[in-house]
Amino acid sequence: MLQLRPNCETCNCDLAVDSTAYICTFECTYCEDCTTHLHHHCCPNCRGNLEKRPVRPKQLLTQYPPSTKRIMK
């Protein structure tokens, strides 16, 4: 299950669970601005592609809450 990390690993901005965020296969997470303008849809950690993070349905957020652990690289 995806962690749904709460922040962009580059600029540390908050990412709501229903916001447009991007992830790689290792779940590195970035905001739309950093993904597009700094990383050009390529993960700076693994060099894999960055894709839109899926949105978890609201009715499942209580049972499967997003992560609260902030990661910065």
Side-chain angles (χ1 to χ4, degrees), residues 3-71:
Q3 291 180 356
L4 297 180
R5 295 178 181 167
N7 66 304
C8 173
E9 291 185 28
T10 299
C11 70
N12 200 32
C13 72
D14 292 334
L15 297 171
V17 293
D18 59 351
S19 67
T20 301
Y22 289 81
I23 60 172
C24 72
T25 59
F26 293 99
E27 296 187 54
C28 300
T29 305
Y30 303 97
C31 68
E32 187 169 23
D33 192 47
C34 288
T35 296
T36 304
H37 298 104
L38 292 176
H39 305 311
H40 307 287
H41 292 272
C42 180
C43 178
N45 299 321
C46 70
R47 297 293 178 217
N49 62 317
L50 293 170
E51 297 291 333
K52 278 190 178 180
R53 178 175 73 179
V55 175
R56 186 163 298 156
K58 290 182 193 282
Q59 68 271 20
L60 295 176
L61 288 173
T62 302
Q63 186 177 1
Y64 303 103
S67 175
T68 57
K69 183 179 178 184
R70 297 181 79 85
I71 297 176

